[in-house]
Amino acid sequence: MKQNNVPFVTNLEKFTKEAGVQPARFHMIDFAACLQPTYTWNWHHEILATALDDFRAGKIKRLMVFMPPQHGKSEFTSRLFPAFCFGHNPDQKIILGSYTASLAESMNRDVQKYMDTDEYKTLFPRTELPAKGSTGMYIRKAERFDIAGRKGYFKSVGVGGSMTGTPADMLIIDDPHKDRETAKNPLLSQKVYDWYMDVAKTRTHNDSGILLIQTRWDTDDLAGRLLKRMEQAIKDGDTDADVWTVICFPAIKESNDNLQDTREIGEALWPERHSLSRLRAIRNESLRTFQSLYQQNPMPVQVGGECYKSFNYNTNTGDYTYNPDLPLHFSFDFNMNPYMSCGIWQIVRETIGDKITEKAFLIEEVCLRSPDNTTRGICTYIRDKYRQHTTTSYIYGDPNGMKQDTRTEKGYNDYFIIKQELAALKPTFRIATKAPSVHVRISFMNALFAKTINGLELGMDKKCTNTIADFLYIKEQSDGTKQKLKATDPITGITSEKYGHISDSAEYFICIAFATQYAKYQHGGKTAGLMVGKRKTMYDY
C-alpha cells in the first residue's frame, strides 16, 4: 500500500534554498505544501493535485471530486487551487458557487489570504491583489476581487444567485446542496439543476473548465443528474456532450474498482486524521448517512419501501471469521455486472437442553468485476483462498446456471464449470429445480432478520459491504418482488442493476440450506416439502 503521509517541504526557507521555487510554481501538490507548511498532506491529495494540474492545463475539461467531509477537498480545490491558477494566468476569470453566498464569500476571503502571503508573492511576483477594500477600477471585496493591472477576477455566488455580466474561464461549484433534505427534495434539487444549466453554465465558453466538488447526498443530486445526462449522451452517440472525469475516494475502502486507490479493503482513507474506529462509530450511528456522506454511495430515492424492512445493521451484522472445522457453503449469482458474486457461508448448530439453534453466518462475499467476473474467475478465487479446506462443502445458486450455455462460455453451463474448477473441494450440489418465489423468500428473510423464526438465526460479517448495501437499499415492486433499477458506475462507465443480485445469492442459500423451515413458513406454519434438485442434465450432477 502507498504511504499515507507524503513527505513534502515544510517551510519557505527550506523550500527556496534547497528545492527551488520551480516545483511549487508548476505542481499543485508542491504549491499546497509551500502555502500550508503545517498541514499533513495525505496520498489522496497527491492524486487530486495531479488531476487539478491536468484540469488547469485543459487536459481535463469537466472534473468531479467526491470525498468525505474534513478530508481536504474544499481546502485544496476551492481555496488553494484558485490562487495557484491566478499565479499562472492572472487574466483568468474564475467563478465559485456554493449552496449559500456566505459560504462562497468565505472561500473567496481564504483565496485572498493565500495570495497575500510572502510565500505566494515569492512564487508569483507578477500576480497582485488590489489594496484591501478597493472599489475603484480594481475591486477587492468578499464577493469579488480583481487581479491588479490584469483582466482576471474571482467572483463568489450562492446557488440561485445571478452571474450576469461575468463570463467564466473556470467555474467551480463546491457543495451545491446544503444537506440531505435539500438534495432529496425533488423541487429543491430541480432548482439547483436549473440554476446550473440556466445560469452557471451559460457563463462558460468553449475553453472553460467546470469543477464540481460535492458530497453525494442522493442519486438525483446535481452530480447524479449530470452523470446520467452523460450516460444518455454516450448511448445516443452525442460527441458534443460533457464528459466528466471523476475523482472519488470513500472514507473506508469497500472495493477495488478504483485503480488509483491502493488501499486494502477496509482501510481508512486518512487514518491520521480520521481513524477507522472513529469512522466505524459514525457508521454505527447511521449507516444511511455514512454511505452518502462518507462513502459517496447515496441511497436512491425511489417509489415504494425497502424490500428488507427488518434488516438492521446493528443487529444483523457482526465479526464472523472462517472456521476450518465447519463446512463451507458457496452460493452463486451469475449476473456479471456490476460484478459476479458468491456468498460464502458457514452454519453453527448449538444445543441447549432440548432446544437446537442453527446460526448461518456470511463470512465472506466474493464480488469480482471485469475481467474476472466469470464463473471460472470466482472459482479461481475460492480455490486459491480455501485450498487447505478439508471439511465438507456445498454449492447453491441460481437455477438458471443449469442452462447449457453460460453467459461467458459456450457449451458448458455454470455448474459444470464449478464442478470442474472446485473438484478438490469435493462439493455437494444443492440446486433447486427452479428459483424460490421472490416475494415469499423476501418475506422469509425479513422474518429471519427480525429473529422470529424459532431455532434459526442469520448474520453477516461487516466486511461484506456489497451484501449489506443490497439488503439496505433494494426497493420493493408493487407485486412484492425486487425493483432492480439500473445505475451507471462513475468509475467504469458500465450501466447495470446496482442492487438485487448478491441478495439473490443469499436467498438461494437460505431457502435450500434451511428448506424445512422455509417450506413451513411458505405454507403458513404447516410442514411441506420443497423440491431441491438434482436436476438431471447431460453432465449428470
Side-chain angles (χ1 to χ4, degrees):
M1 176 187 163
K2 192 178 288 185
Q3 192 71 24
N4 274 323
N5 291 317
V6 183
F8 300 123
V9 177
T10 56
N11 58 69
L12 178 62
E13 180 181 4
K14 182 179 179 182
F15 177 80
T16 54
K17 290 183 178 180
E18 297 181 14
V21 297
Q22 293 290 36
R25 281 179 175 163
F26 295 103
H27 302 291
M28 180 62 198
I29 193 67
D30 297 302
F31 174 78
C34 178
L35 271 289
Q36 276 278 28
T38 61
Y39 201 85
T40 303
W41 300 107
N42 194 43
W43 61 266
H44 73 281
H45 298 118
E46 185 177 16
I47 294 173
L48 174 58
T50 300
L52 291 174
D53 285 335
D54 289 342
F55 178 73
R56 181 186 62 78
K59 297 177 182 178
I60 297 174
K61 300 296 287 293
R62 301 290 185 265
L63 179 63
M64 291 183 181
V65 178
F66 308 144
M67 289 183 188
Q70 301 301 312
H71 279 67
K73 62 181 184 296
S74 290
E75 189 68 28
F76 224 84
T77 57
S78 301
R79 296 180 174 92
L80 283 162
F81 184 58
F84 185 59
C85 292
F86 283 129
H88 284 270
N89 183 3
D91 293 321
Q92 193 163 35
K93 302 172 178 65
I94 302 176
I95 298 178
L96 181 143
S98 189
Y99 62 83
T100 62
S102 60
L103 180 58
E105 290 172 5
S106 173
M107 294 176 180
N108 183 313
R109 289 191 291 268
D110 288 336
V111 175
Q112 295 183 44
K113 289 177 184 177
Y114 280 128
M115 296 177 69
D116 274 334
T117 62
D118 292 337
E119 288 87 346
Y120 188 87
K121 294 174 182 177
T122 298
L123 292 170
F124 302 113
R126 298 181 182 180
T127 300
E128 299 181 14
L129 293 174
K132 292 183 178 180
S134 296
T135 58
M137 181 179 295
Y138 298 105
I139 299 171
R140 183 171 178 184
K141 299 173 71 176
E143 64 272 15
R144 170 173 172 158
F145 68 80
D146 298 328
I147 304 301
R150 304 302 291 261
K151 299 177 181 178
Y153 57 75
F154 186 92
K155 178 179 176 63
S156 51
V157 62
V159 169
S162 173
M163 296 184 182
T164 304
T166 50
D169 301 320
M170 181 182 295
L171 174 63
I172 302 174
I173 301 176
D174 191 334
D175 275 336
H177 303 280
K178 180 181 179 180
D179 50 29
R180 177 192 297 278
E181 285 68 32
T182 56
K184 287 185 175 294
N185 184 306
L187 294 178
L188 296 179
S189 184
Q190 184 65 42
K191 284 184 177 180
V192 172
Y193 181 74
D194 290 343
W195 173 82
Y196 172 81
M197 296 299 296
D198 300 340
V199 179
K201 195 176 180 184
T202 63
R203 311 316 304 160
T204 63
H205 52 78
N206 289 347
D207 296 324
S208 298
I210 302 178
L211 172 59
L212 174 60
I213 311 105
Q214 71 164 86
T215 291
R216 291 304 317 278
W217 284 112
D218 187 68
T219 56
D220 204 38
D221 58 20
L222 180 58
R225 291 190 180 207
L226 294 177
L227 289 172
K228 290 174 187 175
R229 186 182 178 94
M230 178 181 73
E231 172 197 345
Q232 189 59 49
I234 293 172
K235 288 181 179 178
D236 296 341
D238 183 358
T239 58
D240 296 324
D242 287 343
V243 177
W244 293 88
T245 297
V246 178
I247 301 293
C248 181
F249 290 114
I252 299 176
K253 185 172 179 178
E254 294 182 338
S255 73
N256 291 314
D257 301 341
N258 186 357
L259 297 180
Q260 292 181 308
D261 190 340
T262 58
R263 290 177 289 167
E264 298 294 331
I265 299 293
E267 286 193 56
L269 178 58
W270 197 3
E272 290 75 18
R273 292 290 297 272
H274 304 279
S275 67
L276 187 59
S277 60
R278 178 177 180 273
L279 293 173
R280 285 174 173 168
I282 296 171
R283 182 177 63 186
N284 290 341
E285 290 175 0
S286 174
L287 183 60
R288 295 173 190 276
T289 297
F290 184 78
Q291 284 294 320
S292 296
L293 194 60
Y294 286 84
Q295 298 299 88
Q296 312 308 311
N297 181 28
M299 177 181 173
V301 175
Q302 302 168 3
V303 176
E306 295 96 344
C307 275
Y308 304 99
K309 301 172 179 63
S310 298
F311 180 80
N312 184 302
Y313 180 83
N314 293 321
T315 59
N316 297 131
T317 68
D319 297 311
Y320 305 114
T321 57
Y322 165 62
N323 184 339
D325 297 324
L326 295 175
L328 285 170
H329 301 260
F330 304 101
S331 190
F332 288 78
D333 184 88
F334 302 110
N335 185 70
M336 296 181 65
N337 287 308
Y339 46 73
M340 185 177 284
S341 60
C342 176
I344 304 177
W345 298 77
Q346 291 193 297
I347 300 172
V348 176
R349 289 179 172 83
E350 296 180 350
T351 302
I352 302 177
D354 295 333
K355 184 179 180 181
I356 298 176
T357 300
E358 294 181 294
K359 298 180 179 180
F361 299 126
L362 178 66
I363 61 169
E364 183 178 2
E365 62 179 24
V366 184
C367 299
L368 300 185
R369 300 178 184 253
S370 180
D372 300 315
N373 55 337
T374 65
T375 307
R376 290 193 192 276
I378 294 280
C379 289
T380 298
Y381 175 90
I382 292 172
R383 189 176 62 242
D384 292 344
K385 177 75 176 286
Y386 296 99
R387 62 172 64 251
Q388 302 300 323
H389 184 77
T390 57
T391 316
T392 309
S393 62
Y394 299 92
I395 304 296
Y396 309 79
D398 186 351
N400 285 325
M402 302 288 284
K403 293 179 179 179
Q404 300 306 316
D405 293 331
T406 71
R407 293 173 176 80
T408 55
E409 295 188 30
K410 295 292 184 181
Y412 301 96
N413 72 41
D414 290 294
Y415 292 109
F416 177 79
I417 295 172
I418 293 171
K419 181 180 181 181
Q420 183 183 66
E421 294 291 321
L422 300 183
L425 292 176
K426 300 178 180 178
T428 298
F429 285 77
R430 292 178 167 178
I431 315 301
T433 55
K434 65 176 183 179
S437 166
V438 177
H439 76 274
V440 176
R441 73 193 199 215
I442 289 173
S443 180
F444 184 59
M445 294 295 287
N446 274 314
L448 286 174
F449 289 137
K451 304 183 186 298
T452 60
I453 304 295
N454 290 332
L456 184 57
E457 296 181 12
L458 177 65
M460 56 196 67
D461 190 84
K462 291 179 179 178
K463 294 190 293 295
C464 299
T465 54
N466 290 297
T467 308
I468 293 169
D470 241 39
F471 286 124
L472 278 172
Y473 300 147
I474 187 69
K475 293 288 183 174
E476 186 178 38
Q477 300 270 36
S478 59
D479 62 357
T481 60
K482 299 180 184 181
Q483 192 179 58
K484 295 181 179 179
L485 297 184
K486 292 187 176 182
T488 299
D489 189 315
I491 301 297
T492 65
I494 296 175
T495 300
S496 60
E497 294 170 339
K498 185 174 183 180
Y499 301 117
H501 289 287
I502 195 166
S503 55
D504 283 346
S505 76
E507 290 160 357
Y508 299 144
F509 161 68
I510 292 295
C511 292
I512 301 304
F514 304 103
T516 300
Q517 294 94 323
Y518 174 72
K520 187 174 182 179
Y521 180 87
Q522 186 179 17
H523 292 84
K526 298 177 181 179
T527 303
L530 175 71
M531 292 186 67
V532 179
K534 296 185 174 182
R535 173 186 288 178
K536 289 293 182 179
T537 70
M538 63 182 291
Y539 304 112
D540 191 28
Y541 53 78

